[in-house]
Amino acid sequence: MLYTYFDMQSAALGPMRAMTQLTKTYFNNPLFPLSQTYMGKIMAASADVIEGVIRHRGKPEWGFQAIHREDGIHPIDLARIDHRPFGDLIRFKCDLAKSPKKILLVSPMSGHFATLLRGTVKTLVEHHEVYVTDWTDASKVPTSDGDFGLDEYIEYLVDYMRLLGPDLHVIAVCQPAPLVLAAISILAANDDPAQPSTMTLMGGPIDPGAAETEVTKLADSKSLSWFKDNLTATVPLQYEGSGRRVYPGFLQLAAFISMNSMRHVDAHMQHFNNLVKGDGDSAESHKKFYDEYLSVMDVTAEFYLDTIQHIFQERSLPNGTMTWKGQSVDPSKIKKTALLTVEGELDDISAPGQTEVAHEMCSSLVKSKHKNHVEAGVGHYGIFNGRKWRESVSVVINDFIEKHHPKVKG
């Protein structure tokens, strides 16, 4: 009933959404006399803030088609390379990349759409040919397409690495870091020619026990059955995935917001003030961030519960008990794929130490193939978006890729 109640609430807010739109239309119209008054600006700003909070959002667009430089406009080509029920593999190319390397950018399946990595892609595509895992909202996947848990996720990753072939570089952002490490461990154990040249693991829970956060405390404080009973729901009849059990995106969003609730309240108060005083640039920046942040997707219940059990509660990968299709997952088998870990000094979701521990687990890699980078002064999102990402973290990654990319003989 949880999902149905949420839909009922969303429908009940319909009249308020219409009212806020009407209020914005009137009080932002220069021909309406009150729009130029202080009270009129307060009315318009209030309606804008309320509308932004209660608006029904779908999957965002990637929102960029070209990179603008002094030497002209450089179009970005976007193409779907592979289509499967639970996700697409999409490619970004730009003529700015003079000697592009193939990058598999594995996006999180943790409630937000892959477009959350918009800034990540826009920076990487200037130098590389970027392939992104574009996961599907589970509420849109019919039950006839089967289940999707950790095993299926890893299978997708293994298949993508084989599809993209040798000389590949893999980047995992947040949640998929342990699963990318698992997939590459499997390839290494089988001496598969598709083993990537490098893997970059960014702010991910390789070993959640290495550094406690609110996320790890919640996972450890409840039983798996509690998560199943309280945080999963059945998709209602009006959706394509009717009957599928999911971890709803709105619950994940509520969890994210509750971790830093006052920060979000302050951001909306500042947005209100910016609108009243006419600071359009700051207001637009706020809208862009929250249009993305508040756009969420459902995750299959089996994937969510597998993650809680194997990644957080049992810590199967660092404890050496993870298996895939009957095969032991052992990162010590990795000998060819260079490892870069990236952490944010202020990360309160995957705290420093949780990702770095991958180096101990990849014990067969020679020292020259290891590198850890901690970005000072940034939290979780700052390591893959924003100024520090563009000016510092992406440079570290590009240099690491260049260093370990196979050299052309002859």
Side-chain angles (χ1 to χ4, degrees):
M1 296 298 292
L2 181 66
Y3 213 124
T4 302
Y5 286 146
F6 176 79
D7 273 4
M8 289 171 61
Q9 180 193 50
S10 180
L13 289 172
M16 184 177 286
R17 282 192 285 268
M19 181 62 72
T20 56
Q21 287 285 2
L22 184 63
T23 302
K24 285 172 61 178
T25 300
Y26 270 101
F27 286 94
N28 283 321
N29 188 337
L31 298 179
F32 183 55
L34 291 179
S35 68
Q36 303 304 312
T37 67
Y38 183 68
M39 183 56 68
K41 292 178 180 178
I42 288 179
M43 289 293 291
S46 299
D48 192 287
V49 171
I50 295 171
E51 190 271 338
V53 172
I54 66 175
R55 185 192 317 153
H56 179 73
R57 292 172 168 85
K59 182 179 179 180
E61 298 293 330
W62 282 95
F64 58 86
Q65 298 177 324
I67 295 175
H68 296 258
R69 291 286 185 86
E70 291 182 359
D71 62 347
I73 299 174
H74 300 269
I76 295 174
D77 176 62
L78 190 160
R80 185 169 72 177
I81 304 301
D82 185 81
H83 171 69
R84 303 183 185 203
F86 292 93
D88 293 337
L89 184 65
I90 56 177
R91 184 197 64 201
F92 294 84
K93 290 179 66 175
C94 180
D95 62 5
L96 273 172
K98 301 306 179 186
S99 55
K101 315 296 190 299
K102 285 185 292 185
I103 303 281
L104 173 60
L105 179 63
V106 184
S107 64
M109 183 184 277
S110 55
H112 284 107
F113 292 95
T115 51
L116 188 69
L117 303 186
R118 183 182 293 104
T120 319
V121 173
K122 196 170 183 179
T123 299
L124 289 173
V125 79
E126 295 185 21
H127 305 279
H128 308 290
E129 188 173 301
V130 185
Y131 296 80
V132 182
T133 56
D134 191 13
W135 304 114
T136 304
D137 185 337
S139 69
K140 298 183 182 300
V141 184
T143 56
S144 58
D145 284 319
D147 293 339
F148 189 84
L150 288 192
D151 280 354
E152 289 76 22
Y153 190 109
I154 292 172
E155 184 173 9
Y156 271 44
L157 297 184
V158 169
D159 287 349
Y160 288 155
M161 291 178 201
R162 287 172 174 161
L163 175 66
L164 298 177
D167 303 343
L168 176 68
H169 302 270
V170 182
I171 300 175
V173 178
C174 186
Q175 166 268 320
L179 305 184
V180 165
L181 180 57
I184 294 174
S185 299
I186 292 162
L187 292 176
N190 296 305
D191 198 22
D192 196 301
Q195 294 174 75
S197 299
T198 70
M199 57 175 157
T200 299
L201 310 178
M202 304 179 66
I206 301 297
D207 184 0
E212 188 178 70
T213 65
E214 292 300 318
V215 177
T216 64
K217 285 192 284 187
L218 175 62
D220 291 337
S221 67
K222 307 291 184 182
S223 67
L224 189 65
S225 61
W226 183 91
F227 286 99
K228 180 180 180 180
D229 294 341
N230 292 278
L231 297 182
T232 65
T234 302
V235 177
L237 289 174
Q238 64 268 31
Y239 295 89
E240 296 170 70
S242 171
R244 181 178 293 281
R245 292 292 293 182
V246 299
Y247 174 49
F250 60 81
L251 285 182
Q252 178 71 314
L253 180 61
F256 278 142
I257 290 177
S258 66
M259 290 178 62
N260 296 287
S261 56
M262 288 311 301
R263 184 186 303 173
H264 293 290
V265 172
D266 291 344
H268 280 81
M269 288 299 298
Q270 186 60 51
H271 177 53
F272 172 83
N273 293 330
N274 290 333
L275 288 168
V276 171
K277 68 183 181 183
D279 184 351
D281 289 343
S282 296
E284 186 61 27
S285 177
H286 172 95
K287 289 180 182 179
K288 285 182 178 180
F289 173 80
Y290 277 98
D291 278 346
E292 189 69 53
Y293 189 76
L294 298 177
S295 298
V296 290
M297 56 176 272
D298 296 347
V299 174
T300 65
E302 55 271 19
F303 179 82
Y304 174 66
L305 295 173
D306 279 355
T307 299
I308 294 295
Q309 179 181 0
H310 294 291
I311 302 301
F312 287 96
Q313 293 183 339
E314 297 180 2
R315 297 164 53 213
S316 300
L317 186 58
N319 286 337
T321 57
M322 178 177 277
T323 60
W324 181 73
K325 294 186 175 182
Q327 178 179 347
S328 177
V329 177
D330 182 4
S332 71
K333 299 294 185 181
I334 299 174
K335 299 178 181 179
K336 298 179 180 179
T337 303
L339 170 64
L340 168 64
T341 54
V342 178
E343 299 181 316
E345 178 190 21
L346 308 179
D347 193 337
D348 58 356
I349 295 177
S350 293
Q354 288 190 13
T355 313
E356 183 185 7
V357 72
H359 292 282
E360 297 177 21
M361 297 161 63
C362 296
S363 55
S364 297
L365 272 177
V366 297
K367 185 177 180 180
S368 62
K369 289 183 178 289
H370 289 270
K371 182 177 178 63
N372 180 58
H373 176 78
V374 178
E375 186 63 31
V378 300
H380 189 69
Y381 294 98
I383 60 175
F384 61 88
N385 260 319
R387 182 178 61 83
K388 286 291 190 75
W389 153 252
R390 294 190 300 271
E391 297 178 2
S392 178
V393 177
S394 68
V395 175
V396 171
I397 293 174
N398 286 336
D399 289 347
F400 188 78
I401 287 173
E402 189 64 37
K403 176 181 178 181
H404 295 284
H405 188 72
K407 302 297 186 289
V408 178
K409 297 181 180 180

